[in-house]
Amino acid sequence: MPASVPAPSPGAAVHGQSPTGPEREAARREAARLEAVRRYDILDTPPDGAFDRVAALASRLFDVPVATVAIVDSDRIWFKAASGLDGVRQIGRDPGLCASAILRDGTTVIPDTLADPVACSNPLVAGAMGVRFYAAAPITTPDGHRLGTVNILDTRPRVISDDDMATLADLAAIVLGEMELRLSALRAVRAEQDRRRAEQAARTRAERDKAALAEFASTLQRTLLPPALPTVPGLELACHYQTASPQDVGGDFYDVFPLSDERWAFFLGDVCGKGAEAAVVTSLTRYTLRAAAQHHDDPRAVLSALNAALLLDASIGSRFCTCLFGFLEPAAGAGFDVTVASGGHPPAYHVRTRPGGAVRVDPVHLRGGMLVGAFEEAAFASRTVHLEPGQGLLLYTDGLTEARLADGTMLGESGVADFLSRRTGPTEATALVEDAVALLRDLPQDSGDDVALLALSVPPHDAGGPGVSVSAHTSARATDDAGAAGRKD
């Protein structure tokens, strides 16, 4: 049977002499081995059931009182698992049975430790434990480094067969497999941490770059919602915004802004998610839509520009949004022509009063409009709606349609249309928004999501005709007990 080999002190000089060539090579190998031990990050980790089962299995298979899974450090033998060594976590390396065993490629077997010149002085042999038999199989990495051993110890001399040694080697291979799985998991966690740090760095760079843009872009980045709606001659505007939670930054957005003396643009949408990351997307979305509206006459082209910007910005990740974007122009006769494009957003509602006072509600369906920022070749749909005096247009985010009724079902698009058709109030923008806010307030459950509303209406002829200029801006937060919106004129 093979015997143990004394563990060298790699690289040590004797009586001040320089290390010899073999000593330098031994020191180099030991340094590489210790680097491999550190790579697996196994030392001083908590007990692990997988390694404990290997030690227990070795004890049962070989009918020995002690079995261990040991890692050889620079100055100690550390037990990742031990069966029969209660309370012992580590022992000194020199002199050490494991330290000798890792110098061999194959299994080390000492049938009688008292007959072995090195093992006989080991504390486990000479001490109270009285170990008389020792066998160990090295835990060897794919690149040839022996990290430690799987050991079996007995208090009486004994002999084991070649099959037994092969079984012990298999147990050592199982230990290495568990260590490889653990290392793979650690690498995955570290890679995820590195990825998040890289994303944060990219987000920081993106914010720094955006800050160097024109002053209005910088202002839009700091403000997710416009402080007030503009005054559009001959048109009434109203809006409402409330967040689902005062602790979260909402992902809904809207805006109305002039392009010329007789042309305006508007948009309303919803970013996937909430919080700081959604705020970054919202900021970029508002800036891009404002900038693209200056260069495109087709609202579909504006949404295409936003789609490209979201896909190119590294700070956005996999976030996307839905959006309605449109242009407003005074019609030749009376009222306004509204050309609107959809990027996967719920339809707006065209509200008008029929003769006799009945209300007609028509959804402005735009079939084929895809999510913005999700697909490189996204297609968008557009449509022109004519708003005559006394007619209105209501845009909303899915916080309205996903509000829950008493039976727990969602209000849905059909529920919104039904609510609008049953209204008895006027079709002015302010009334549309206030009634929708009242609907949300009266529902038995919170919407659970942010809600943004934007309404446009043309005042009736008897309200002052095309010269009337009215703008209302309402806002609310989830912390408002009544849920009602304050009004600014």
Side-chain angles (χ1 to χ4, degrees):
M1 292 292 180
S4 62
V5 179
S9 299
V14 179
H15 300 299
Q17 298 176 2
S18 299
T20 63
E23 288 174 334
R24 286 194 296 270
E25 177 60 21
R28 185 197 63 77
R29 289 197 303 268
E30 175 64 5
R33 190 195 69 80
L34 288 173
E35 183 178 346
V37 170
R38 303 292 183 267
R39 182 176 74 234
Y40 282 86
D41 199 13
I42 192 73
L43 290 170
D44 299 311
T45 54
D48 187 306
F51 297 98
D52 292 338
R53 284 191 290 273
V54 170
L57 179 61
S59 179
R60 290 197 304 272
L61 283 174
F62 294 99
D63 190 24
V64 294
V66 178
T68 66
V69 175
I71 305 298
V72 180
D73 199 359
S74 59
D75 58 354
R76 60 174 174 158
I77 308 297
W78 181 77
F79 298 120
K80 176 60 182 172
S83 175
L85 278 182
D86 294 339
V88 180
R89 295 294 296 169
Q90 65 183 38
I91 60 175
R93 172 172 173 171
D94 190 20
L97 297 172
C98 297
S100 299
I102 63 168
L103 299 176
R104 303 183 60 87
D105 288 326
T107 302
T108 296
V109 179
I110 305 177
D112 186 351
T113 56
L114 293 181
D116 186 276
V118 174
C120 65
S121 61
N122 187 277
L124 296 178
V125 176
M129 189 172 179
V131 172
R132 294 291 303 278
F133 166 80
Y134 173 80
I139 304 167
T140 307
T141 67
D143 51 352
H145 298 298
R146 294 181 283 273
L147 308 177
T149 54
V150 174
N151 313 283
I152 54 174
L153 302 88
D154 203 344
T155 55
R156 57 186 176 84
R158 59 187 294 177
V159 175
I160 61 175
S161 66
D162 290 342
D163 287 343
D164 290 336
M165 288 190 288
T167 299
L168 193 60
D170 288 340
L171 291 176
I174 291 173
V175 168
L176 180 67
E178 290 293 335
M179 292 178 66
E180 290 285 353
L181 287 174
R182 183 180 178 278
L183 179 60
S184 178
L186 286 173
R187 285 173 172 168
V189 170
R190 290 164 181 165
E192 176 64 15
Q193 292 172 339
D194 291 342
R195 184 188 66 80
R196 290 187 178 184
R197 282 192 290 268
E199 286 184 354
Q200 181 60 46
R203 192 175 299 117
T204 300
R205 289 194 299 270
E207 290 296 332
R208 186 170 57 248
D209 292 342
K210 292 181 190 129
L213 296 174
E215 181 179 357
F216 78 93
S218 175
T219 301
L220 288 174
Q221 289 169 350
R222 295 192 300 268
T223 307
L224 299 179
L225 297 173
L229 297 179
T231 297
V232 179
L235 192 72
E236 181 175 321
L237 300 173
C239 60
H240 166 83
Y241 186 87
Q242 73 181 44
T243 56
S245 169
Q247 284 76 37
D248 284 331
V249 178
D252 294 2
F253 57 90
Y254 63 87
D255 204 356
V256 181
F257 53 96
L259 298 173
S260 65
D261 291 340
E262 293 191 345
R263 193 163 185 260
W264 292 265
F266 66 92
F267 58 81
L268 177 141
D270 184 3
V271 169
C272 171
K274 296 181 178 64
E277 293 185 356
V280 172
V281 184
T282 301
S283 178
L284 177 60
T285 296
R286 296 184 69 241
Y287 160 69
T288 303
L289 289 174
R290 274 181 165 262
Q294 306 289 335
H295 304 286
H296 299 287
D297 293 329
D298 188 338
R300 293 173 298 179
V302 175
L303 290 182
S304 294
L306 174 61
N307 189 68
L310 293 180
L311 290 172
L312 286 174
D313 196 307
S315 69
I316 299 306
S318 60
R319 292 183 180 270
F320 54 85
C321 71
T322 65
C323 184
L324 287 175
F325 180 90
F327 292 116
L328 294 166
E329 294 182 277
F336 277 78
D337 288 328
V338 182
T339 304
V340 60
S342 173
H345 200 80
Y349 285 104
H350 186 185
V351 184
R352 61 192 104 178
T353 303
R354 294 175 174 175
V359 176
R360 176 179 174 180
V361 179
D362 294 314
V364 183
H365 286 298
L366 298 166
R367 302 189 183 282
M370 301 172 68
L371 294 172
V372 186
F375 308 100
E376 291 187 4
E377 301 297 331
F380 306 106
S382 66
R383 177 179 170 184
T384 298
V385 176
H386 178 63
L387 284 184
E388 296 181 358
Q391 297 183 0
L393 189 68
L394 177 66
L395 290 72
Y396 55 90
T397 57
D398 59 10
L400 178 62
T401 55
E402 293 178 2
R404 299 285 174 173
L405 303 175
D407 60 1
T409 60
M410 291 191 297
L411 182 63
E413 293 176 14
S414 61
V416 174
D418 182 62
F419 160 74
L420 292 173
S421 66
R422 289 187 285 104
R423 291 178 63 255
T424 58
T427 57
E428 280 85 349
T430 303
L432 288 172
V433 167
E434 289 178 346
D435 287 350
V437 171
L439 169 67
L440 288 170
R441 181 188 61 220
D442 294 339
L443 289 176
Q445 301 182 40
D446 293 336
S447 66
D449 197 1
D450 309 320
V451 178
L453 305 172
L454 178 63
L456 308 80
S457 65
V458 179
H461 288 298
D462 57 8
V468 173
S469 176
V470 179
S471 176
H473 182 186
T474 66
S475 63
R477 295 189 180 185
T479 51
D480 293 341
D481 293 335
R487 175 174 174 173
K488 298 178 183 177
D489 291 331

